[in-house]
Amino acid sequence: MTTAAGLAPWLAPSLEALLRQRGHAWLLQGASGLGQYELGLALATAWLCERPTGQGACGQCASCHAVAVRTHADLCVLMPEVQMMELGWPLDEKTQSDLDDKKRKPSREIRVEAMRDAVGFAQRTNARGHGKVVLVYPAERMNAITANALLKTLEEPVGDIRFVLATEAAWQLLPTIRSRCIGFTLPWPSSDVAARWLAAEGVAAADATGLLRAAGGRPQDALRLAQNGASPKAWAALPKAMARGEVAALGGQAPPAAIETLQKLCHDLMATRAGAAPRFFEAADLPLAPPDSALARWSKSLANAAKTAEHPFNPGLMLEALVSEAQSALNSAAPRRP
Ligand SMILES: [Zn+2]
């Protein structure tokens, strides 16, 4: 179900549309789990390709091969170290040895040093004769210093260079950066297309619909849930287990993932209170919704917890506290009307 370029089917028309545009900087934005990074990389690969088709890169030439093995001299990826490692991009020697020696942890932000390298890259002439590309992802992980350094380069691009910024949180970017880029919002796939894609990625057909629901319709998030062993059955049982205070029902999720799960539950209860359909859970699987005031308090507290969740003092204790809070919120339900 993937296209020749290995791109998910709902992204192929986007790639074609982007390849027809002229400019030097793009901002690919949209909800998480839709494939911003994959689309950005496919676009960069097509621009650098020696024999591009209207649909994307050829996938055969020396340039395509160099991108595939992560050694293209005219492609600079600007990412936090955590993302570089997850997505298989090599770190520079100094960084790698610092991390190997445990001198520091991999960064979750785009580091100033990496931005300096990118600015240097932007000023060099290209090596392979098809221009240069800087891919920034997730673009919202730039701090004020790195964002301003990028802004200068965006304002005065030297030579044949193109930028593609990919983000799941465009509102966190400097307005001056957004206004320098051609904006492109990623489309949502239909549930049929997403389910077929999940099946092609090896997810059991019986699980696809339930996982897509748990992921709020975001196919890549659904795939990640499947890879982490999530089961639609356990997901369906989760809201009522939270009302009973069962920590085990979170299935050993790390605090950030557990908070996201509880935020989905809180969201759905707020939606049902407002007379709307739940998005992540089936209505039948939800407990009676607590009063708005309790939901508002719970939602605020979850948002606060999310800020410290990456480095919890004690993950086990944090999960227990989260579940205990969920339990009391869920049990503050107003008495049923006759
Ligand atoms: Zn090629």
Side-chain angles (χ1 to χ4, degrees):
M1 266 311 283
T2 48
T3 59
L7 203 58
W10 66 91
L11 296 176
S14 300
L15 179 60
E16 284 190 52
L18 285 162
L19 285 171
R20 285 193 297 268
Q21 295 181 347
R22 291 188 173 276
H24 82 276
W26 279 260
L27 176 62
L28 311 181
Q29 55 195 346
S32 70
L34 295 181
Q36 279 84 331
Y37 163 75
E38 286 76 7
L39 182 58
L41 183 59
L43 192 55
T45 312
W47 284 332
L48 295 169
C49 175
E50 291 162 16
R51 296 188 298 272
T53 69
Q55 280 104 42
C58 74
Q60 312 279 324
C61 70
S63 173
C64 286
H65 177 71
V67 175
V69 298
R70 311 290 202 232
T71 57
H72 202 298
D74 294 329
L75 173 63
C76 169
V77 295
L78 194 50
M79 295 182 192
E81 288 152 7
V82 167
Q83 258 80 17
M84 299 279 282
M85 292 159 76
E86 270 174 22
L87 296 167
W89 290 95
L91 299 166
D92 66 68
E93 265 176 51
K94 165 94 174 68
T95 303
Q96 189 64 57
S97 85
D98 281 358
L99 296 181
D100 288 345
D101 299 344
K102 303 214 176 344
K103 282 189 188 154
R104 60 180 179 82
K105 288 190 172 172
S107 70
R108 293 177 177 276
E109 266 198 346
I110 293 173
R111 299 185 80 226
V112 179
E113 291 81 353
M115 181 59 77
R116 273 192 209 119
D117 290 348
V119 170
F121 167 87
Q123 286 160 354
R124 281 199 296 277
T125 43
N126 72 68
R128 304 184 73 108
H130 290 267
K132 292 181 295 182
V133 183
V134 177
L135 170 62
V136 189
Y137 172 79
E140 73 276 12
R141 299 284 174 87
M142 289 183 284
N143 63 26
I145 298 170
T146 48
N148 277 303
L150 179 69
L151 187 60
K152 281 209 190 79
T153 316
L154 284 177
E155 282 168 341
E156 294 155 26
V158 184
D160 189 5
I161 185 160
R162 283 181 273 204
F163 296 85
V164 52
L165 283 64
T167 181
E168 294 165 357
W171 64 91
Q172 290 178 19
L173 290 169
L174 291 181
T176 40
I177 287 203
R178 286 206 304 264
S179 69
R180 286 280 157 191
C181 298
I182 301 172
F184 183 89
T185 304
L186 271 76
W188 286 80
S190 70
S191 50
D192 279 358
V193 167
R196 278 205 301 275
W197 177 76
L198 283 172
E201 295 287 323
V203 176
D207 289 348
T209 312
L211 290 172
L212 269 170
R213 178 166 257 282
R218 298 164 161 89
Q220 290 187 334
D221 289 359
L223 180 60
R224 208 166 305 128
L225 288 173
Q227 287 163 345
N228 292 339
S231 93
K233 220 173 140 191
W235 182 259
L238 191 124
K240 287 176 183 161
M242 288 300 102
R244 293 189 299 268
E246 294 170 14
V247 181
L250 285 173
Q253 294 182 64
I259 290 169
E260 202 184 312
T261 296
L262 293 170
Q263 283 175 322
K264 288 176 177 176
L265 176 54
C266 187
H267 166 278
D268 273 10
L269 291 167
M270 285 178 163
T272 55
R273 287 280 305 178
R279 175 161 187 196
F280 304 101
F281 295 91
E282 296 283 354
D285 296 328
L286 292 172
L288 187 65
D292 292 331
S293 56
L295 286 173
R297 252 195 324 274
W298 185 27
S299 163
K300 202 170 160 200
S301 164
L302 285 169
N304 277 333
K307 288 180 201 152
T308 57
E310 298 284 3
H311 308 285
F313 174 63
N314 179 328
L317 278 182
M318 184 162 189
L319 288 182
E320 277 179 31
L322 285 168
V323 173
S324 148
E325 187 179 40
Q327 185 183 16
S328 57
L330 293 170
N331 286 293
S332 57
R336 279 170 210 272
R337 294 198 190 89

